[in-house]
Amino acid sequence: MRRNLRHATTTIREKRERAVAEVPDWERLRDRGAAIKDATLSDLAEQLLTLEASVTRAGGTVHWARDAEEARTIVADLVQGHGSDEVIKVKSIATDEIELNAALEQRGIHVTETDLAELIVQLAGDTPSHILVPAIHKNRAEIRALFQRTLGAELDTDEPARLAEVARLYLREKFLTTRVAVSGANFAVAESGTVCVVESEGNGRMCVTLPEVLITVMGIEKVLPRWADIAPFLQLLPRSSTAERMNPYTSFWSGVTPGDGPQAFHLVLLDAGRTDVLADPVGRQTLRCIRCSACLNVCPVYERTGGHAYGSVYPGPIGAILTPQLLHLENDNANTLPWASSLCGACYDACPVKINIPEVLISLRGQVTAAKPLDVEGVAMKTAAWLFAEPHRFEGAIRLARLGQGPLVKHGAIHALPGLLGGWTGTRDLPALPPKSFRELWRDRVNGEQA
């Protein structure tokens, strides 16, 4: 798996660097994207109400989901309410986040993923390991064996074109016969009620145009105020994600149009912890994320551990800050993720909307540490912080330590500290404190010159 991952991330990283270098004003684009997102987040409630009014005016229906359970119930009720027991899906991390597939299957609704990588993950009974390339941990030979076993395909080669053909033939029938589709959304425009999905395979275009009913599950942070606001993101997203100049398929739709496309459209606005993220003055920048995965492809920790190690649908650096905020720091898995980073800052440099991931990681680490019960180490650290805060306290502590070290010093060093401090000298000696500190020596020198 590590070999597959290293090859894939290295390839994507090199292609992305070339694609970004073609844009002379790339930094200004990043600034523009971050500014649009920040302005929208500062007025999020008003933008969402405007979006609801616009979607309703265009013939769609908006549903509000406070958490994952509400979102799952809304979608399942809608599917069954339209008399269907089967859905096709566009690749959607929001629906993965709320574990929609399992909930629908429990209600007797069969789900077919139509994105090739998501289909591979689904057929394998696996979980995604990358935001953009969910099956990045599988190679061609493994996929060939999977298709032979689950789809009954007769494959004498693992050439990508042949594997894609098998998936295409299987999915084509689903596109033409399934009455309900479920999608995520990359963006939604408040002023017009337009929803946007970008993808590379054309399966998304099939899902949002062929079925009779379309249900879109969208995180509330995906809204943008105006049409013009989408333009920077349609330049930032493809170059940062797939290293393409533009996405092969960019689909827009606004409500319903009689005789053309789905005749019922439902937009489910998902909170699921996002308003809590918004309330954090440092962490709220996480909601700028456009799910490009550029931070994953440059992260040395992700490259060595893989996506499954994060225990979340959001792996890599963005997952290390988004998951703890969505699930809250009481979650035993989520509260360890802020330490899944070397703080090298490569993710910050690669992020197209300039999310300062190291800054958020440090803030979250501080929150996790502050919430822990005070133990011996904690008392020691707090005492040290108090001593180091004022010069006179620090110098007083040094004088006391110099007096107290007397019985422990042998031949100019301390070879064994007592009690809990013994760990410091378990494998090394501790130099004895000198008779005078640097400050004291400097003070004596200055006083001597003045005298």
Side-chain angles (χ1 to χ4, degrees):
M1 184 193 79
R2 186 174 295 177
R3 185 172 61 249
N4 297 343
L5 204 60
R6 184 179 300 114
H7 172 72
T9 55
T10 301
T11 302
I12 296 172
R13 188 163 61 235
E14 292 173 353
K15 289 174 61 180
R16 177 191 172 276
E17 288 174 358
R18 291 195 294 271
V20 167
E22 295 176 348
V23 184
D25 61 345
W26 181 252
E27 288 305 313
R28 284 198 298 172
L29 266 179
R30 292 177 72 201
D31 290 334
R32 180 64 180 147
I36 291 172
K37 282 287 187 176
D38 285 347
T40 307
L41 291 172
S42 68
D43 190 31
L44 186 58
E46 190 62 33
Q47 297 302 332
L48 290 171
L49 291 174
T50 303
L51 175 65
E52 180 183 32
S54 299
V55 170
T56 304
R57 192 166 54 248
T61 306
V62 174
H63 309 261
W64 298 79
R66 284 171 294 190
D67 53 31
E69 180 60 37
E70 276 196 0
R72 292 192 293 259
T73 302
I74 290 169
V75 175
D77 288 347
L78 286 171
V79 175
Q80 293 180 331
H82 283 282
S84 180
D85 60 0
E86 185 175 19
V87 300
I88 50 176
K89 273 187 67 199
V90 187
K91 178 176 177 292
S92 160
I93 308 175
T95 58
D96 290 342
E97 174 191 328
I98 63 173
E99 299 177 340
L100 180 63
N101 288 12
L104 293 180
E105 295 287 350
Q106 285 181 353
R107 292 274 296 262
I109 300 168
H110 180 63
V111 179
T112 300
E113 294 284 355
T114 63
D115 174 86
L116 177 57
E118 288 281 5
L119 176 64
I120 291 168
V121 169
Q122 184 183 36
L123 292 175
D126 204 348
T127 54
S129 61
H130 191 280
I131 289 176
L132 184 68
V133 196
I136 196 172
H137 55 291
K138 292 191 176 298
N139 60 36
R140 290 185 296 175
E142 292 170 325
I143 296 168
R144 175 193 174 197
L146 176 69
F147 282 179
Q148 288 175 321
R149 187 175 72 254
T150 58
L151 300 182
E154 296 181 0
L155 284 164
D156 55 2
T157 175
D158 59 6
E159 285 298 313
R162 184 74 181 98
L163 297 175
E165 182 185 15
V166 170
R168 191 163 51 243
L169 292 173
Y170 170 73
L171 291 173
R172 188 56 56 95
E173 181 182 353
K174 297 292 182 182
F175 289 133
L176 295 174
T177 59
T178 307
R179 295 179 52 238
V180 180
V182 175
S183 82
N186 291 95
F187 311 101
V189 181
E191 68 177 1
S192 63
T194 304
V195 180
C196 172
V197 164
V198 298
E199 36 106 16
S200 300
E201 300 173 10
N203 64 299
R205 178 70 57 82
M206 295 279 197
C207 287
V208 302
T209 55
L210 292 177
E212 300 169 18
V213 180
L214 175 59
I215 304 169
T216 298
V217 180
M218 186 188 92
I220 56 175
E221 79 279 15
K222 299 294 183 67
V223 65
L224 296 173
R226 298 166 294 275
W227 257 106
D229 295 328
I230 284 189
F233 297 105
L234 293 185
Q235 298 177 71
L236 291 166
L237 181 56
R239 292 179 188 270
S240 299
S241 56
T242 54
E244 295 170 299
R245 295 186 177 97
M246 63 181 294
N247 287 99
Y249 294 90
T250 303
S251 299
F252 295 100
W253 66 95
S254 304
V256 297
T257 302
D260 184 13
Q263 295 303 291
F265 171 56
H266 299 272
L267 177 62
V268 181
L269 295 176
L270 176 68
D271 185 330
R274 286 161 173 79
T275 50
D276 294 332
V277 181
L278 189 64
D280 186 323
V282 177
R284 68 185 308 172
Q285 60 185 302
T286 311
L287 297 178
R288 292 180 199 156
C289 179
I290 56 175
R291 310 291 192 265
C292 68
S293 75
C295 60
L296 278 70
N297 300 327
V298 298
C299 178
V301 176
Y302 175 82
E303 185 178 288
R304 285 158 181 78
T305 63
H308 291 150
Y310 292 80
S312 165
V313 297
Y314 299 106
I318 189 63
I321 61 172
L322 182 57
T323 303
Q325 295 186 88
L326 291 179
L327 299 183
H328 302 110
L329 297 176
E330 294 79 12
N331 184 285
D332 288 339
N333 174 57
N335 64 21
T336 65
L337 293 178
W339 278 268
S341 170
S342 64
L343 298 180
C344 67
C347 49
Y348 182 26
D349 293 338
C351 178
V353 286
K354 292 193 170 182
I355 300 172
N356 191 338
I357 292 177
E359 180 186 40
V360 182
L361 285 168
I362 292 172
S363 173
L364 291 172
R365 289 180 184 185
Q367 293 177 43
V368 173
T369 303
K372 285 183 177 178
L374 203 59
D375 54 11
V376 174
E377 183 182 5
V379 172
M381 291 298 108
K382 283 185 175 294
T383 303
W386 181 80
L387 290 173
F388 293 163
E390 293 290 342
H392 70 277
R393 293 177 194 159
F394 178 71
E395 290 188 39
I398 292 294
R399 284 195 292 272
L400 285 174
R402 193 179 296 138
L403 291 173
Q405 70 175 353
L408 303 174
V409 177
K410 292 181 181 178
H411 308 295
I414 299 173
H415 305 288
L417 285 169
L420 295 174
L421 298 175
W424 283 93
T425 51
T427 57
R428 60 190 181 280
D429 293 338
L430 188 67
L433 291 170
K436 288 191 176 182
S437 68
F438 174 80
R439 285 174 175 270
E440 290 169 328
L441 289 171
W442 184 262
R443 198 154 41 229
D444 289 348
R445 176 179 174 178
V446 171
N447 291 339
E449 290 176 351
Q450 289 178 345

